[in-house]
Amino acid sequence: MAGVIQTTVRRSMPASLLLRVRHRSPGLACGLVGGALAAGLGLAAFTVLVMLLWVSSPYPDSGPGGALHVAAALWLLAHGAELVRVDTLSGAPSPMGVPPLLLAAVPVWLLHRAARDTAEGGARDNAPPVPGRIAWAGVVLGYLAVAAPAALYAAGGALRPSWTWTVTCVPLVAVVAAGTGVWTAYGRPSGPLEQVLGAVLPRGVRHLVLGPDGRPGVAARAAAAGATVLVAGGAVLLTVSLGWHLGETRRAFGRLTEGWSGWLAVALLCVALLPNAAVWAAAYALGPGFLLGVGVPVTPLGGQGAPLLPPFPLLAAVPDSGAGTALHGTVAALPLTAGAVVGWYVGRGSVTGGGRFGIWTTGRTAGAAAFAAGLSGVLLALLAGLAGGPLGTAALARFGPVWWQVGLATAVWLGLTAAVTALTVRAWCLRRSYGRGGGERRPDRVVAPRRRPVPPRPAPRARLPRGRWFERKPARSAPAPASVADDEPYLLLDDDGDRDHGDRGALPDGTGSLGLRDLRPGPDPLTPDDTGPRPPA
């Protein structure tokens, strides 16, 4: 019988590398598929919309290939990438860089959902969660793997993407939206925000942005409320102006196109640009206004005519050219209202905020109101920068509000109003807390009572490595951690991992506390054991 030589079957190098990657990177394949699926769904949504309008149009300018190129270009425009139109009357390329903010919600929402589902996919079956970095990287790479061919395909149409803006905006949107999705899947941990705030803000104002419990601080909530009031008020101003110029708005539809398909296309474009128009109206109420071309500002003090503008329905809401009237000056009520809202949030927080500072002093309350107004200015400047852009060359090279002017005006308007309102609300809350009568003087600074003594920290602080950013929060069934003392609100913000986590006062039996069996006296070895009968009482 012939001998049989046993040999070891060895895997090839590509197969072993693939298994190693799968073993060390669980969830990477799911992330790649999720990111590619998010990009494909976004492209499909834009393609269906454009093809529907192209089929219903009685006079299509191009075939289905041109419609597909337009759909890919609009999908890139939704990410903030600037487009270039090549088939102009002058023959020179004309940029188009006003992204409809409503269309931007589609790719952002799809990316957020893809990253969130990828990160928490394993947790649904009681399996270990997918690492946050792996899920985030997989979704971003899968999304960009579809976005790159789409950009190359759109480059062959009439609306071509600008490569500088495309390479910058599309990856930026993918990174930010996927990061928020992973952050949500892990229970919105405060670790990433704490590290960022620790690098850019001093210790005295960190708790205004992020509270000790990981929730948004007083200034963050007030700034968000102020920006929301400004944008919502801008939408109200836009609606009132469109109703005031209703006849001109209706005539603009007839002058642009004919037939129900053309009217539907114009109406959909107006709906997609409604958030942009609301930001423009808010900038108008703040004072800087917006530009309808180079050197054509529109402000409450007056505006100039722009004869080169097309008869677009939303442009009918632009005030007439000429000096401003008292009616135009009534728009100042919007920033005053937003400042009052910011001051109300800060005033309530100065009394109910608690923490080491107790009830805030008047100076600290006014400073917090000014800081919240500055945050609102940052938010409005960001929205103003996204809501505008070029619509052509020469006179149309600048369209929309100027971001830095809007941010500065927001900080000034809301800062003055919010400080006065915050101090008023603080005084009113203190008056209600301490009663209306009585000659006892109310203290300006009340220190909250301590719940437990806090041992002093050692002088040489040994720094330990920080934990990971994305760590899933413990289950609700786990024992609740020790409560943080009221006079230490920065234990979460300034924790360098050097706190003594040892069991102070732990007993040798490992219980960590004094039980009844520890307090019960034991038998005395010097006393003889009396086990005999006792006389009756």
Side-chain angles (χ1 to χ4, degrees):
M1 182 176 180
V4 179
I5 301 177
Q6 298 181 356
T7 58
T8 303
V9 179
R10 297 182 179 179
R11 296 187 180 95
S12 61
M13 183 61 67
S16 60
L17 290 178
L18 181 59
L19 291 176
R20 187 177 303 176
V21 169
R22 289 180 179 178
H23 178 71
R24 295 185 178 181
S25 303
L28 181 60
C30 296
L32 292 173
V33 174
L37 184 60
L41 289 177
L43 277 171
F46 281 87
T47 302
V48 169
L49 179 61
V50 173
M51 292 300 294
L52 178 62
L53 296 176
W54 176 79
V55 170
S56 60
S57 176
Y59 305 106
D61 295 336
S62 59
L68 293 177
H69 283 90
V70 171
L74 289 180
W75 182 72
L76 295 174
L77 180 64
H79 293 79
E82 186 176 297
L83 302 181
V84 179
R85 184 178 179 182
V86 294
D87 56 344
T88 58
L89 297 178
S90 61
S94 177
M96 187 177 67
V98 180
L101 295 181
L102 190 60
L103 296 182
V106 176
V108 170
W109 181 75
L110 290 174
L111 275 166
H112 179 86
R113 286 294 303 270
R116 189 192 68 181
D117 294 344
T118 302
E120 66 183 10
R124 295 177 181 176
D125 302 329
N126 296 327
V130 178
R133 296 180 180 179
I134 299 300
W136 171 77
V139 172
V140 171
L141 293 178
Y143 196 84
L144 296 181
V146 178
L152 293 175
Y153 179 77
L159 289 176
R160 301 178 181 178
S162 174
W163 291 112
T164 302
W165 286 93
T166 302
V167 173
T168 303
C169 295
V170 177
L172 180 62
V173 171
V175 167
V176 174
T180 57
V182 175
W183 182 59
T184 303
Y186 274 76
R188 298 182 179 90
S190 59
L193 299 180
E194 291 174 3
Q195 294 188 14
V196 173
L197 293 178
V200 299
L201 292 179
R203 179 181 179 182
V205 296
R206 292 179 201 169
H207 75 287
L208 296 176
V209 181
L210 187 66
D213 55 353
R215 298 179 180 180
V218 175
R221 297 195 301 268
T228 303
V229 170
L230 286 176
V231 177
V236 173
L237 290 179
L238 174 66
T239 304
V240 172
S241 183
L242 286 175
W244 188 271
H245 303 86
L246 183 59
E248 187 176 353
T249 304
R250 295 179 59 183
R251 288 192 297 268
F253 277 93
R255 295 173 60 183
L256 275 178
T257 182
E258 296 179 358
W260 67 270
S261 61
W263 297 338
L264 179 61
V266 175
L268 290 177
L269 181 58
C270 292
V271 171
L273 289 172
L274 279 179
N276 300 62
V279 176
W280 289 26
Y284 178 83
L286 288 168
F290 50 88
L291 298 176
L292 293 180
V294 178
V296 187
V298 178
T299 63
L301 300 178
Q304 303 177 7
L308 297 178
L309 294 179
F312 194 67
L314 289 181
L315 294 179
V318 177
D320 300 331
S321 59
T325 61
L327 182 62
H328 297 142
T330 57
V331 297
L334 178 57
L336 293 177
T337 304
V341 171
V342 172
W344 184 84
Y345 271 88
V346 175
R348 289 293 300 272
S350 65
V351 178
T352 61
R356 176 173 67 178
F357 300 97
I359 298 178
W360 297 352
T361 61
T362 56
R364 187 171 187 83
T365 303
F371 181 70
L375 291 180
S376 296
V378 172
L379 294 177
L380 261 295
L382 178 62
L383 291 177
L386 295 175
L391 280 181
T393 56
L396 298 180
R398 184 58 191 165
F399 227 67
V402 182
W403 64 271
W404 66 269
Q405 295 180 0
V406 174
L408 182 60
T410 303
V412 172
W413 272 101
L414 271 62
L416 297 176
T417 311
V420 176
T421 306
L423 294 178
T424 305
V425 172
R426 173 185 177 276
W428 175 256
C429 292
L430 291 178
R431 181 181 179 86
R432 293 186 59 184
S433 300
Y434 291 96
R436 296 178 179 271
E440 183 180 359
R441 183 179 179 183
R442 293 190 297 268
D444 290 337
R445 184 185 181 92
V446 179
V447 180
R450 295 184 177 182
R451 296 182 182 177
R452 60 178 176 85
V454 180
R457 296 182 178 180
R461 301 178 61 183
R463 293 184 175 270
L464 298 179
R466 293 181 180 269
R468 297 181 180 178
W469 274 19
F470 298 110
E471 291 184 355
R472 193 175 296 275
K473 292 185 177 181
R476 295 184 179 180
S477 59
S483 59
V484 182
D486 285 347
D487 59 342
E488 290 293 338
Y490 298 105
L491 290 180
L492 295 178
L493 294 177
D494 301 302
D495 185 13
D496 295 326
D498 53 349
R499 290 204 302 268
D500 186 10
H501 294 285
D503 294 330
R504 299 184 179 92
L507 297 180
D509 59 353
T511 58
S513 59
L514 294 175
L516 295 179
R517 57 187 178 87
D518 303 310
L519 299 178
R520 186 170 57 248
D524 192 357
L526 299 180
T527 303
D529 189 7
D530 188 7
T531 59
R534 296 181 180 182

